Amino acid sequence: QLDLKGRDFVALADYTQEEIYALIHDAIELKRLQKAGTPPQPLKGKSLAMIFEKSSTRTRVSFEVGMFQLGGTALFLSKNDIQIGRGETISDTAQTLSRYVDGIMIRTFAHSTVIDLARSATVPVINGLSDLNHPCQALADYMTAYEKKGKLEGLKIAYIGDGNNMAHSLMMGAAKLGMHIAVATPEGYGPDSDVIKQSKEQAELYGSTITLTSDPQEAAADADFIYTDVWASMGFESEQEKREKAFKNFQVNESLVKYAKSDYLFMHCLPAHRGEEVSEGVIDGPHSIVFDEAENRLHAQKAIMAAIMRD
Ligand code: CP
Ligand code: NVA
């Protein structure tokens, strides 16, 4: 049992391979116990504040239900309803909330907001999505991949689409977990250069490889998993039309998945846009595991919260 008590969970980059695997195994065990009707309640009497500056279905519900199942409670704080919306600083908000609650989750735009919050808070801070990364989703995704294939090391994941927060967390996760990841993006929409550099450094340590290309077929070749995400993330809605043109050859559809292994699995963090980044046949077809990923947000985040917020 690793001791992660008091740690923030703002990026997979901050966690070792051993720690990420430990969280995946904890999540699988919490899932088993929940389904067996014997869920442990290590966070009895504890509270989680959840700040949302963007919309959410999965993150909000899975954190709220997860806290409840662990014996605690969660507060939904939309930015329009708390004083952040009227200009109270992140630092003052963090210091205030730290006097009431045992952990803070935030979904925001700039990643620096998450960092500022974590710096000023005296309780653990969890990143529920920033423009730079989405570590809770990537943890749930690799947990799901592990459940389906029984291992991760040596397997290949192809990420096709926008070099966004999801691409970043998946790259860092794959690098740390000993997987091979190929990322295909249109010119001008590639991943962040610092994330590429840091993921490549981690990949060296763990025998992983990171391939960047603008050819979706090259990325999909022999993949065990094909992952995609929306072309216009939250905050980029005004670029929708421009992006539809730039990404038109990057749809994950029946002709692209032919390049993958015959038992490939299709992954998507959701919400999805059928007919844009993925065809209906692929996302609703037999290879799709998107709702297993969605379910595992609950179990993965319970593992994170139990590890960092426990006494
Ligand atoms: N995948 C994900 O984070 O979904 P929500 O935006 O619904 O929380
Ligand atoms: N990349 C997407 C993920 C949503 C869960 C976004 O940031 O909107």
Side-chain angles (χ1 to χ4, degrees), residues 54 107 129 134 164-166 229-230 232-234 269-271:
K54 291 174 176 169
R107 165 165 288 196
L129 180 147
H134 196 2
N164 61 15
N165 43 12
M166 250 354 291
D229 185 14
V230 290
S233 284
M234 290 181 277
C269 55
L270 304 178

Side-chain angles (χ1 to χ4, degrees), residues 92 143 270 273 305:
D92 286 358
M143 169 194 175
L270 304 178
H273 294 83
M305 292 190 289

Side-chain angles (χ1 to χ4, degrees), residues 52-72:
F52 281 92
E53 298 199 297
K54 291 174 176 169
S55 308
S56 171
T57 298
R58 280 144 289 269
T59 304
R60 179 189 173 170
V61 177
S62 56
F63 268 105
E64 195 162 329
V65 171
M67 248 337 251
F68 173 73
Q69 292 181 354
L70 291 169

